[in-house]
Amino acid sequence: LPRVIGVVTSPSGAVIRDILHRLRDRFPVHVLIWPVAVQGATCAPEVAAAIRGFNALPEGGPIPRPDLLIVARGGGSIEDLWGFNDEAVVRAAADSRIPLISAVGHETDTTLIDHAADMRAPTPTAAAELAVPVRADLAARLADLGARQMRAAAQRMSQTRQRLRDLARGLGRPQALTEGARQRLDLTGPRLEPGLRGLVSRRRAELAELGLRPSVLAQRLRGARRELDKDRQALDRAMERLRAERRRRLDELSARLAGGMASRAMAARRRNADFRTRLEGIDRRLRPAMDRQIGTARERLARLDRLRQMLGYPETLRRGFAVIHGPDGLLKTAASAGQVPQWRVEFADGDVAAAPLHPSAAPPRPRKPREPGGQGSLF
């Protein structure tokens, strides 16, 4: 299944359209077209250069290297097809490391490139059919193989399951495997206690025959204790010698370590002095930068505060407008203002209580908005 197909043909003829149409119907792939002249004096050198150029593309380069080449041309007279009899074209086709299909002319036309190519197609459309299979047929074949695989797996599992059931029937009940051992245990249990008592009695008699009386055991114990005391004294002397040797080595290591620690402490003090010098330099550079950043942030904050004050509604009140508050919130229409008994009018310098002229009357009709440029309150 080629992923990239290189086509050497004229880009303006019907051949390339037939090849692309057939590839799109059967198995869409990436197609690279190398435009060449398919007749005339420039035909042979351009076709040879195209074949060698496709072979010169590197693997994994920016331009994908084709997996298959198609050299195609429509039908014509022998003079029109003569460029494909040229030695350079034939040698380029023979040297091509990429498989090459020759589709020059109609089925009855034969050129030398047909003998040098890996395969000859009677027409350009047939070359496209030889290049790729039908994708739908492949999908159907894969689906059939998948179904066969599922059926085979299900059959294998069914056979294995049936075999396991047959073997299980041959094993019998699990309890039957332990019934014999359980019965022997029940029969042996009552004889266990008398047997243990007899064994203890025999061992006691054997011990008495050996003559291990308490006085003999005490004498042996005193001898073992004396030997143990000697061994302990020898061990104490050995431990004292080992302790003295270890103390001497520890004193030597302490002296060496003290000298090394002094040199490392001096090096550490030098490094600390270097770090402190570098830190002071960084601090001197950092303070002006922080001051500039704080100043910039303070100026931006001041601009935002001025913008907030300018866009806030208190500035609007200072220009002569007012806000009307009712018992349940702001009054935004004349109809809602006529339905409450009392208002609270907010000006820039304070609040004033107000009431409609005729509370029992119907709500006043809304007035027309003032002309642009007029001044006055919002009520």
Side-chain angles (χ1 to χ4, degrees), residues 69-182:
L69 296 182
I70 298 177
V71 179
R73 189 211 188 279
S77 63
I78 189 62
E79 290 80 7
D80 297 336
L81 306 179
W82 197 257
F84 296 93
N85 289 324
D86 192 87
E87 180 181 358
V89 175
V90 177
R91 289 188 179 277
D95 295 339
S96 176
R97 296 187 302 274
I98 303 175
L100 188 144
I101 298 177
S102 172
V104 178
H106 295 303
E107 187 170 0
T108 57
D109 297 325
T110 302
T111 57
L112 293 180
I113 192 176
D114 296 336
H115 301 284
D118 296 282
M119 182 175 288
R120 176 185 179 272
T123 60
T125 302
E129 294 176 355
L130 292 173
V132 294
V134 180
R135 187 175 184 176
D137 294 345
L138 285 179
R141 178 62 176 165
L142 289 176
D144 180 62
L145 292 176
R148 290 178 57 188
Q149 183 181 14
M150 293 297 294
R151 289 195 300 270
Q155 184 178 3
R156 180 63 181 273
M157 291 180 64
S158 177
Q159 293 176 354
T160 306
R161 190 179 296 110
Q162 183 62 36
R163 178 63 176 166
L164 182 61
R165 284 197 293 265
D166 296 341
L167 293 175
R169 285 194 296 269
L171 288 175
R173 296 182 302 107
Q175 293 81 3
L177 299 176
T178 59
E179 285 179 355
R182 186 181 299 110

Side-chain angles (χ1 to χ4, degrees), residues 204-222:
R204 186 179 291 112
E206 292 175 357
L207 185 62
E209 293 176 358
L210 292 175
L212 295 179
R213 294 186 298 277
S215 58
V216 176
L217 292 176
Q219 184 179 359
R220 292 184 178 180
L221 183 61
R222 286 193 295 272

